[in-house]
């Protein structure tokens, strides 16, 4: 089938091949320059989805949410009438006739053509590499393939071939997937492009500490398929040139990338020149040798160099768009290839000439084998300028050095002081940088641009990121962007204020410490000692929550009662009409028929609206204040406890049915859910806490969307932490694997107490985790390795809370003083005549104003 | 002037409120920690529910029309958190809303500690509903 796409309205076509990161960036720049008015723009993309963030590809394994990686706002493409053809590979270029064709034979003429085809992963020609368990690591589809192999039963081991930047990232991903992971590198060291031998060695030890086994100097000769052999324990065996071998169930090739120039290679008659090692040759205007044909991004070769990073590709995209628009002033003159490895747990940075290849350059070294730190500076012969640097194990100096390098700033008299520990470092404070200094190299954002954005009202990191794009690429510059923001805010006269409210000049965390350390038990004592004024609806409930988190006294003790929000005060959630809801605890969602019947009877007797909640229990709505004690008396008598649906405390532990019934279940998820719900019920925290326990990886309990999610595996429980549904959903992160039940409980004890200690008011664990400097690793270090030496204290503080648990409703219905509070009027037994219900779907609901007025009118008449 | 004995001081926990029914009208009465008493409508015009007596009591500083800072006490509605000046009924979050307030006193002359509301005339609590019907 062959057809032709013809332009309408006499516009000529600007055609882009490839909708990857750079191709998409080009479109944005082109639209900015108004090229869509001049041309009909067509984009051909081989992949089945619009451009996405390849740099963050690995995060897909954590959230499995394609939309989080998406870069393209399709409505903007539509507004600019950009025609995006997905799933359409271009196979031919006819440069003489200015025409290209798709695989299916559709022909498109062009006035201007931009090649943005990126690169493809290089797979060494090893026999056996076509096995379905052999993968590459470049596209979302590749990751889906890796996932489906990893999820197969009996897949336990994975090997990454290639110990470069991407290979190590892939290895980290395999670890996350729970595989026993190996990295096999041909060269004698890891990250040979960026690091020297000594740096590579330190890195190797660090990677091994992450649980990845590293084999260097291994040349793979063949991959043997064991599926047909009965004895073999693994799917594959890799045979190396030195006659050793390695068993594995899956292989991921990450042995480098090659510029994607196959359209040209397979059509040499088009005459477009390619480099000796592949790649499309371009000049400083991003032009190829063919008229009106450009190449940008990873497929392009400039001055014998392929740029395997996104920042240089973005520069090319901007330059190319400008060139086509007739602005020839900007040209491409090479790019900085400094990088910081995003790998969690291992810090590696490489700047400029890391190998000291420049003639007569000098190198300074600092090595600390005990802590696994290696730093190297490469300077000019006169010691005046920085040429390059390598940092392993400690990248604190990265941004500082990068600024010295990028801005050609004079080095201090003793350059070694820049990398030595325990010396006063001549830091490149933001104030010393020129406005022209690049802070974010991914998006080429200068200090001046960030300061201007702050001046125009971008007062938070989020706002700065969205107005300038700084920090939204590799993220390496984020600390500097933040410093620049702080610097400019101070310059504008802002004070960074973390006070709880006008009555306390302390943050929640500080108040927590004061209360804990000084043993403060009441709000008034705290206010006298550390506050001023009367208190308010912000500090009172916050302090009530901290007091409860520290001492877990009954919330309706007279001195605590006035602090509670209406919900805690009346032990129910207030509804729009001033009635309350009743939510008894149904731990893990497990309930006997008898108890269900009681719930039904109570609902019927008090005429309550009944609904199954999203938390696997039953909510009874429409209870008047004066009805609450009677309702709860019946429930407590029947063995129910309060469900704390009103408290900033544990809500529910959602569970799936688990291995007692389910044919896939590998452990007793309900049993664990019951244990957890019983243990943490009533524990007050900065915000509510939800948990989930699933009996196998099918995850019917949606545990990964909870603050704490536990999933059974053959080898024990996997613990996920800091997930969230609600307004800003966040997948829980895998915190620890293969745990026994007691360890799960121990870790959760510690994390909850640490959260209580350090979180802000009304901060869910997800936001708290995001605010933790040092991220997940830090949390793991504190909780698992006890890096702060507080684990025991956290556990005993939790034990105190557990020991002091009382069911608040049980305590309330047996106290006649407390019961007095549950009347609408202090001087009458009457109810609130403004609470009026109508019937809908056979149950009550609050009447609307109009309905109320009508009812009243009929009563009056 | 009508007088109405509502309850005893002990019936109101310091820093909280109660609701009194006075000739069909719902009045929220608050007691602060230094035993000051305040009374205002219990009806929260923002949520249209009779709930203000269940709000939290707080204090802040506001600049009055004369440009002078003064300390005020307020109650924050438990439903959508709007704040009302306990002494004047003025909503601190919306200038156009003002609640009726009532004189409330502690009578220690006879039995001691009676909370008494004094008023000229009260509207019935159904007014708001009738107004809606009229619309
Ligand atoms: C009843 C229920 C809806 C239902 O009919 O299913 C419900 C009802 C309320 N939710 Fe919810 N949520 C209910 C499950 C959920 C879930 C689903 C779940 O837990 O699996 C979520 C998302 C999961 C999560 O929290 O991560 C959820 C996310 C929220 C949020 C947003 C939290 C966030 O972090 O973004 C709020 C607002 C808040 O807490 O600030 C909220 C707040 C509320 C409040 C308390 C609003 C309020 O202040 O009046 C509702 C009153 C409950 C009542 O009167 O009893 N509710 N709410 C569910 C009760 C579950 C239970 O048995 O306790
Ligand atoms: C896991 C991973 C981590 C990375 N981390 C970093 C990092 O931290 N920092 C950094 O700077 N860079 C990083 N990179 C590199 C970065 O992703 C690339 O530099 C960037 O994606 C290059 O953009 P591009 O548009 O040139 O190529 P691509 O993004 O690969 O896009 C090319 C597109 O063209 C399509 N295409 C190819 N041929 C055709 C054809 N004939 N017809 C139609 N369409 C075609 C391809 O399918 C592809 O979608 C990383 C890459 C990976 C894979
Ligand atoms: S999560 Fe697994 S064990 Fe639990 S119900 Fe679902 S399939 Fe069964
Ligand atoms: S340098 Fe990569 S996001 Fe700024």
């Amino acid at each position: 089938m062959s057809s032709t796409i013809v332009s309408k309205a006499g516009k000529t076509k600007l055609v882009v091949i490839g909708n990857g990161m750079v191709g998409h960036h080009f479109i944005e720049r082109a639209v900015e320059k108004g090229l869509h008015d001049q041309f009909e723009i067509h984009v051909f993309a081989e992949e089945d989805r619009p451009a996405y963030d390849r740099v963050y590809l690995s995060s897909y394994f954590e959230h499995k949410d394609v939309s989080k990686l998406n870069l393209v706002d399709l409505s903007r493409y539509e507004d600019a009438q950009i025609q995006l053809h997905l799933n359409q590979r271009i196979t031919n270029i006819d440069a003489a006739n200015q025409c290209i064709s798709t695989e299916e034979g559709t022909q498109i003429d062009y006035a201007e053509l931009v090649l943005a085809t990126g690169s493809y992963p290089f797979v060494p020609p090893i026999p056996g590499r076509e096995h379905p368990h052999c993968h590459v690591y470049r596209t979302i589809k590749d990751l889906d393939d890796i996932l489906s192999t990893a999820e197969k039963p009996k897949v336990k081991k994975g090997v990454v071939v290639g110990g470069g930047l991407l290979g190590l990232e892939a290895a980290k991903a395999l670890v996350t997937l729970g595989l026993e992971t190996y990295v096999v590198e041909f060269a004698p060291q890891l990250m040979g492009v960026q690091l020297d031998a000594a740096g590579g060695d330190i890195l190797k030890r660090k990677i091994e500490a992450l649980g990845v086994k590293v084999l260097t100097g291994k040349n793979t000769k063949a991959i043997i398929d064991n599926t047909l052999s009965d004895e073999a324990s693994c799917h594959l065996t890799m045979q190396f040139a030195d006659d050793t071998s390695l068993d594995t169930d899956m292989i991921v090739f990450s042995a480098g990338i090659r510029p994607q120039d196959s359209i040209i290679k397979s059509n040499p008659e088009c005459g477009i020149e390619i480099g000796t090692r592949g790649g499309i040759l371009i000049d400083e205007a991003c032009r190829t040798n063919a008229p009106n044909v450009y190449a940008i991004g990873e497929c392009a070769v400039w001055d014998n160099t392929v740029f395997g990073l996104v920042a240089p590709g973005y520069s090319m995209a901007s330059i190319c768009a400008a060139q086509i628009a007739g602005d020839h002033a900007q040209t491409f003159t090479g790019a900085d290839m400094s990088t910081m490895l995003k790998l969690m747990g291992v810090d590696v940075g490489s700047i400029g000439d890391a190998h000291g290849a420049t003639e007569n350059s000098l190198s300074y070294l600092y090595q600390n084998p005990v802590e696994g730190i290696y730093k190297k500076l490469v300077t000019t012969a006169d010691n005046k300028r920085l040429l390059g640097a390598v940092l392993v194990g400690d990248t604190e100096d990265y941004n500082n050095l990068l600024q010295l390098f990028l801005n050609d700033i004079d080095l201090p008299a003793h350059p070694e002081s820049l990398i030595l520990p325990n010396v006063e470092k001549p830091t490149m404070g933001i104030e010393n940088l020129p406005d022209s200094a690049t802070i974010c190299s991914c998006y080429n954002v200068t200090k001046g641009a960030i300061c201007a954005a702050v001046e125009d009202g971008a007062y938070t990191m989020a706002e700065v990121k969205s107005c300038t794009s700084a920090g939204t690429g590799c993220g390496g510059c984020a600390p500097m962007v933040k410093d620049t923001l702080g610097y400019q805010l101070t310059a504008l006269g802002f004070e960074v204020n973390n006070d709880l409210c006008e009555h306390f000049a302390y943050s929640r965390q500080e108040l927590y410490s004061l209360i804990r350390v000084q043993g403060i038990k009441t709000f008034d004592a705290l206010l006298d000692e550390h506050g001023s004024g009367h208190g308010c609806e912000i500090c009172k409930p916050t302090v009530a929550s901290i007091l409860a988190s520290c001492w877990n006294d009954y919330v309706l003790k007279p001195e605590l009662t006035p602090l509670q929000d209406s919900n805690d005060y009346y032990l129910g959630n207030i509804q729009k009409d001033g009635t309350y809801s009743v939510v008894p605890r149904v731990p893990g969602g497990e309930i006997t028929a008898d108890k269900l019947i009681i719930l039904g009877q109570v609902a019927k007797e008090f005429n309550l609206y009944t609904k199954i909640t999203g938390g696997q229990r039953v909510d009874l709505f429409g209870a008047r204040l004066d009805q609450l004690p009677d309702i709860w008396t019946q429930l407590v008598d029947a063995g129910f406890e309060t469900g704390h649906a009103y408290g900033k405390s544990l809500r529910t532990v959602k569970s799936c049915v688990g291995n007692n019934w389910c044919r896939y279940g590998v452990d007793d998820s309900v049993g664990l859910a019951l244990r957890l719900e019983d243990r943490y019920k009533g524990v007050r925290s900065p915000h509510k806490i939800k948990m989930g326990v699933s009996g196998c990886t099918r995850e019917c309990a949606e545990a990964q969307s909870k603050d704490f999610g536990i999933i059974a595996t053959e080898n024990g429980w996997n613990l996920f932490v800091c997930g969230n549904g609600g307004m800003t959903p966040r997948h829980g992160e895998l915190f620890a694997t293969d745990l026994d039940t007691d360890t799960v409980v121990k870790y959760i004890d510690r994390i909850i107490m640490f959260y209580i200690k350090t979180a802000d008011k009304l901060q869910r664990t997800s936001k708290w985790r995001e605010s933790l400097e040092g991220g997940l690793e830090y949390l793991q270090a504190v909780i698992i390795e006890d890096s702060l030496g507080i684990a025991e204290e956290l556990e005993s503080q939790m034990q105190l809370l557990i020991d002091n648990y009382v069911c608040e409703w049980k305590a309330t219905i047996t106290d006649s003083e407390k019961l007095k509070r549950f009347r609408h009027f202090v001087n009458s037994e009457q109810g609130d005549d403004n609470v009026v219900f109508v019937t809908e779907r056979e149950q009550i609901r609050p009447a609307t104003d109009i309905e109320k007025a009508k009812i009243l009118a009929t009563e009056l008449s | 002037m009508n007088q109405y004995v509502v309850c005893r001081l002990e019936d109101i926990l310091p820093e909280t409120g109660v609701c009194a029914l006075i000739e069909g009208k719902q009045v929220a009465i608050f007691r602060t920690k230094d035993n000051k008493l305040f009374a205002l409508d219990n009806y929260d015009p923002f949520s249209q529910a009779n709930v203000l007596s269940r709000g939290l009591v707080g204090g802040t500083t506001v600049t009055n029309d004369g440009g002078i800072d003064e300390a005020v006490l307020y109650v924050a509605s438990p439903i959508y958190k709007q704040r009302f000046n306990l002494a004047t009924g003025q909503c601190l979050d919306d200038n156009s809303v003002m609640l009726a307030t009532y004189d409330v006193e502690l009578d220690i002359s006879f039995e001691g500690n009676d909370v008494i509301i004094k008023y000229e005339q009260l509207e019935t609590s159904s007014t708001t509903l009738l107004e809606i019907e009229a619309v």
Side-chain angles (χ1 to χ4, degrees):
Chain A
M1 177 192 76
S2 145
S3 59
T4 310
I5 295 182
V6 191
S7 294
K8 39 186 187 304
K11 268 195 207 165
T12 54
K13 295 194 204 75
L14 165 57
V15 175
V16 182
I17 308 181
N19 190 234
M21 296 187 75
V22 174
H24 167 63
H25 196 80
F26 171 81
I27 295 294
E28 296 215 309
R29 296 291 84 80
V31 171
E32 252 172 45
K33 298 243 174 250
L35 289 178
H36 58 299
D37 295 329
Q38 194 180 339
F39 296 98
E40 186 178 304
I41 303 184
H42 288 263
V43 183
F44 290 87
E46 183 182 8
E47 291 185 67
D48 59 2
R49 54 173 58 87
Y52 51 88
D53 196 342
R54 226 178 278 293
V55 171
Y56 279 101
L57 193 63
S58 299
S59 70
Y60 181 66
F61 281 129
E62 284 153 36
H63 52 67
K64 308 211 178 84
D65 180 355
V66 179
S67 68
K68 286 202 170 145
L69 294 175
N70 178 42
L71 292 174
V72 180
D73 178 352
L74 281 177
S75 65
R76 290 203 8 209
Y77 271 38
E78 250 163 56
D79 291 347
Q81 297 189 321
I82 312 272
Q83 305 193 32
L84 177 59
H85 309 271
L86 295 177
N87 259 322
Q88 298 263 350
R89 199 164 78 89
I90 299 300
T91 48
N92 192 21
I93 300 180
D94 180 349
N97 294 310
Q98 303 220 147
C99 172
I100 59 168
S101 39
T102 68
E103 205 161 16
E104 286 151 3
T106 308
Q107 295 201 331
I108 309 96
D109 59 285
Y110 63 80
E112 307 280 355
L113 176 66
V114 178
L115 301 168
T117 50
S119 18
Y120 64 91
F122 169 66
V123 179
I126 305 168
R129 63 177 173 165
E130 300 83 10
H131 189 280
H133 284 198
C134 292
H135 301 286
V136 291
Y137 201 85
R138 175 127 196 124
T139 63
I140 288 180
K141 175 165 184 311
D142 295 337
L143 266 56
D144 280 334
D145 292 345
I146 291 174
L147 270 176
S148 72
T149 301
E151 276 163 6
K152 283 192 190 160
K154 296 205 204 113
V155 169
K156 300 232 153 39
K157 261 173 140 183
V159 171
V160 174
V161 175
L165 205 71
L166 290 186
L168 296 181
E169 199 173 310
K172 170 73 186 12
L174 294 193
V175 173
T176 318
L177 292 179
L179 299 181
E180 182 184 342
T181 306
Y182 290 77
V183 168
V184 170
E185 168 60 48
F186 175 69
Q189 72 158 91
L190 294 176
M191 277 182 74
V193 179
Q194 292 89 357
L195 300 184
D196 57 10
D201 204 43
I202 299 255
L203 176 63
K204 178 176 169 194
R205 275 186 252 160
K206 290 243 150 192
I207 298 278
E208 284 173 338
L210 278 184
V212 175
K213 300 182 187 73
V214 179
L215 306 177
T216 50
K218 291 283 180 194
N219 183 3
T220 313
K221 280 276 163 244
I223 297 163
I224 314 292
D225 183 352
N226 296 329
T227 4
L228 297 176
S229 124
D230 286 338
E231 305 102 78
S233 58
C234 280
H235 290 78
L236 302 168
T237 301
M238 300 172 71
Q239 287 185 334
F240 303 124
D242 59 5
D243 282 341
T244 56
S245 66
L246 176 64
D247 286 342
T248 183
D249 298 305
M250 156 159 56
I251 297 175
V252 177
F253 286 104
S254 181
I257 52 168
R258 298 285 182 271
Q260 180 54 278
D261 52 11
S262 64
I263 318 179
I264 295 163
K265 277 211 181 113
S266 55
N267 301 289
E269 64 280 6
C270 74
I272 298 176
E273 272 174 17
I274 52 180
T276 42
R277 285 174 295 150
I280 305 159
L281 296 186
I282 56 166
D283 63 12
E284 69 287 339
C286 299
R287 281 185 305 241
T288 69
N289 63 315
N292 307 321
V293 180
Y294 298 76
I296 55 177
E298 284 187 350
C299 64
V301 177
W302 178 84
D303 191 24
N304 265 321
T305 315
V306 177
F307 296 88
L309 292 176
V310 73
Y314 282 178
S315 314
M316 291 182 199
S318 302
I319 290 161
C320 180
Q323 291 281 347
I324 293 175
D327 166 5
H328 304 292
Q330 285 185 50
T331 56
F332 185 75
T333 52
D336 172 42
M337 296 289 274
S338 306
T339 35
M340 184 123 97
L341 189 58
K342 300 189 300 293
L343 254 192
M344 311 213 259
V346 192
D347 299 324
V348 182
S350 154
I351 294 174
D353 177 10
H355 288 267
T358 314
E359 229 174 297
N360 296 327
S361 60
L362 304 174
S363 293
Y364 293 83
L365 275 185
Y366 168 76
Q367 227 165 327
N368 180 339
V370 179
E371 288 179 25
I373 297 173
Y374 174 87
K375 302 182 189 182
K376 177 165 114 179
L377 286 187
V378 181
T379 69
T380 48
D382 61 1
N383 237 339
K384 280 259 156 54
R385 293 278 193 277
L386 189 65
L387 292 172
V390 176
L391 303 168
V392 180
D394 174 6
T395 48
E396 212 186 303
D397 305 323
Y398 179 83
N399 278 313
N400 196 19
L401 295 174
L402 186 64
Q403 290 304 323
L404 291 171
F405 171 71
L406 291 177
N407 298 304
D408 260 336
I409 293 171
D410 276 353
L411 292 179
H414 298 285
E416 69 276 14
S417 62
L418 290 167
I419 52 169
L420 289 179
N422 311 322
V423 291
E424 189 67 33
K425 277 185 197 149
T427 51
M428 273 320 302
I430 296 293
E431 61 279 10
N432 298 328
L433 288 179
D435 268 355
S436 60
T438 304
I439 302 287
C440 171
S441 29
C442 284
Y443 286 95
N444 200 9
V445 187
T446 59
K447 172 186 165 188
I450 295 173
C451 290
V454 178
E455 222 157 290
D456 289 345
Y459 296 153
T460 64
M461 263 306 260
E463 285 162 348
V464 169
K465 280 182 170 178
S466 83
C467 332
T468 65
S469 297
T472 59
C474 71
C477 62
M480 278 208 105
V481 177
K482 199 168 168 206
D483 287 351
T484 315
L485 167 66
Y487 158 83
Q488 186 64 4
L489 282 177
T490 322
L492 293 175
F494 283 95
E495 223 176 282
V496 184
N497 181 334
N498 209 8
D499 294 355
L500 186 66
C501 66
E502 62 181 273
H503 306 108
F504 289 99
Y506 296 98
S507 66
R508 180 194 171 276
Q509 296 90 318
E510 290 164 338
L511 285 179
Y512 174 90
S513 304
L514 289 172
I515 289 174
R516 168 77 75 189
V517 172
Q518 303 180 359
I520 295 173
K521 296 273 169 71
T522 65
F523 180 81
D524 286 342
L526 185 74
L527 192 68
D528 284 350
E529 281 285 315
H530 304 288
S532 64
H534 194 95
C536 66
E537 75 283 10
I538 295 165
C539 57
K540 283 179 171 180
T542 304
V543 171
S545 159
I546 299 177
L547 290 171
S549 294
C550 286
W551 322 120
N552 208 5
D553 285 335
Y554 172 48
V555 291
L556 295 190
K557 263 180 136 177
E559 63 271 30
L560 298 177
T561 310
L563 308 177
Q564 313 295 350
D565 233 329
S566 156
N567 284 0
D568 270 302
Y569 193 123
Y570 292 107
L571 306 171
N573 278 315
I574 195 165
Q575 305 298 317
K576 58 199 284 188
D577 60 350
T579 63
Y580 288 82
S581 67
V582 172
V583 189
R585 195 166 284 295
V586 178
E590 187 185 72
I591 186 164
T592 61
D594 281 339
K595 278 193 155 175
L596 258 184
I597 289 169
I598 303 271
L599 288 182
Q601 280 170 346
V602 170
K604 208 165 167 178
E605 179 178 337
F606 292 89
N607 189 25
L608 304 172
Y609 168 77
T610 312
K611 182 176 182 302
I612 307 286
T613 71
Q616 294 191 328
R617 47 191 187 172
V618 180
D619 202 339
L620 312 174
F621 292 86
R624 293 191 323 262
L625 207 50
D626 51 288
Q627 293 177 314
L628 284 172
D630 292 339
I631 293 172
W632 275 103
T633 303
Q634 292 200 17
L635 291 172
V636 168
D637 284 349
F640 283 103
E641 289 184 310
T642 178
H644 292 102
Y646 46 82
K648 300 292 177 242
S649 56
L650 178 76
R651 292 289 164 87
T652 65
V653 182
K654 182 169 177 171
S655 78
C656 78
V657 60
N659 69 348
N660 283 350
W661 290 94
C662 178
R663 64 199 160 126
Y664 296 115
V666 293
D667 211 330
D668 181 14
S669 45
V670 180
L672 180 58
L674 292 181
R675 177 165 167 190
L676 295 175
E677 190 151 345
D678 187 53
R679 186 170 181 81
Y680 302 116
K681 63 188 177 193
V683 168
R684 293 300 205 274
S685 44
H687 207 311
K688 59 190 169 197
I689 296 178
K690 299 180 177 184
M691 303 190 189
V693 186
S694 281
C696 83
T697 49
R698 284 166 192 76
E699 248 284 70
C700 302
E702 299 171 303
Q704 287 170 93
S705 69
K706 306 293 183 215
D707 300 82
F708 295 89
I710 301 105
I711 301 173
T713 76
E714 299 280 356
N715 306 320
W717 302 104
N718 283 353
L719 173 61
F720 290 79
V721 297
C722 304
N724 202 166
M727 289 170 254
T728 333
R730 176 175 198 270
H731 272 269
E733 288 164 312
L734 184 59
F735 181 79
T737 56
D738 306 341
L739 305 176
D740 58 46
T741 311
D742 288 340
T743 311
V744 168
V745 170
K746 184 168 79 179
Y747 287 171
I748 299 179
D749 274 7
R750 293 178 183 179
I751 301 173
I752 294 182
M753 281 317 298
F754 191 54
Y755 164 59
I756 288 175
K757 225 182 188 42
T758 56
D760 220 337
K761 74 171 155 46
L762 295 182
Q763 189 177 40
R764 287 288 290 266
T765 58
S766 61
K767 293 277 182 250
W768 168 69
R769 156 60 193 84
E770 274 158 24
S771 72
L772 277 186
E773 260 172 53
L776 184 68
E777 288 76 46
Y778 171 69
L779 189 60
Q780 286 166 326
V782 173
I783 301 302
I784 303 176
E785 290 143 34
D786 193 14
S787 59
L788 300 180
I790 55 170
E792 222 169 284
E793 178 190 325
L794 295 176
E795 280 174 43
S796 66
Q797 288 171 351
M798 175 56 84
Q799 196 55 49
L800 177 93
L801 298 186
I802 293 164
D803 294 343
N804 285 356
Y805 168 81
V806 279
C807 167
E808 288 139 15
W809 266 114
K810 193 170 182 179
T812 304
I813 52 178
T814 49
D815 181 335
S816 56
E817 267 308 300
K818 298 281 147 19
L819 287 180
K820 280 197 194 159
R821 312 285 310 140
F822 292 88
R823 293 186 293 176
H824 189 75
F825 295 111
V826 67
N827 59 341
S828 158
E829 296 307 317
Q830 256 176 270
D832 179 4
D833 64 358
N834 190 25
V835 171
V836 182
F837 300 119
V838 294
T839 304
E840 185 173 316
R841 295 189 296 272
E842 298 169 57
Q843 298 205 69
I844 57 157
R845 69 156 167 78
T848 63
D849 291 330
I850 310 282
E851 285 165 345
K852 273 189 208 172
K854 275 194 193 136
I855 292 167
L856 202 78
T858 13
E859 276 171 11
L860 290 180
S861 64
Chain B
M1 173 76 72
N2 298 306
Q3 293 210 4
Y4 199 102
V5 178
V6 173
C7 60
R8 297 178 58 82
L9 187 64
E10 315 80 90
D11 291 332
I12 317 178
L13 266 178
E15 291 291 293
T16 71
V18 294
C19 176
L21 184 63
I22 299 168
E23 291 184 24
K25 171 92 191 167
Q26 298 199 16
V27 177
I29 304 173
F30 295 91
R31 168 184 176 188
T32 64
K33 50 188 158 194
D34 41 9
N35 288 329
K36 285 204 195 96
L37 292 170
F38 297 92
L40 67 169
D41 277 351
N42 189 41
Y43 181 78
D44 169 13
F46 295 95
S47 64
Q48 289 153 17
N50 288 317
V51 292
L52 287 184
S53 65
R54 301 180 223 156
L56 274 169
V57 174
T60 188
T61 315
V62 295
T63 312
N64 66 18
D65 292 342
I68 298 163
D69 282 351
E70 55 179 352
V72 303
L73 293 176
Y74 61 81
V75 57
S77 165
I79 304 235
Y80 300 123
K81 312 288 177 210
Q82 285 86 2
R83 299 166 302 159
F84 300 90
N85 186 328
L86 285 177
T88 64
Q90 175 63 52
C91 175
L92 303 181
D93 301 296
D94 183 343
N95 271 334
S96 67
V97 177
M98 175 103 136
L99 298 178
T101 54
Y102 306 92
D103 285 338
V104 54
E105 281 174 14
L106 193 61
D107 185 67
I108 42 170
S109 50
F110 301 105
E111 326 222 338
N113 282 357
D114 276 346
V115 174
I116 297 182
I117 293 262
K118 298 184 171 177
Y119 56 93
E120 293 289 354
Q121 204 184 355
L122 284 168
E123 294 155 349
T124 70
S125 64
S126 309
T127 342
T128 34
L129 299 178
L130 290 172
E131 272 167 13
I132 287 162
E133 193 202 26
V135 165

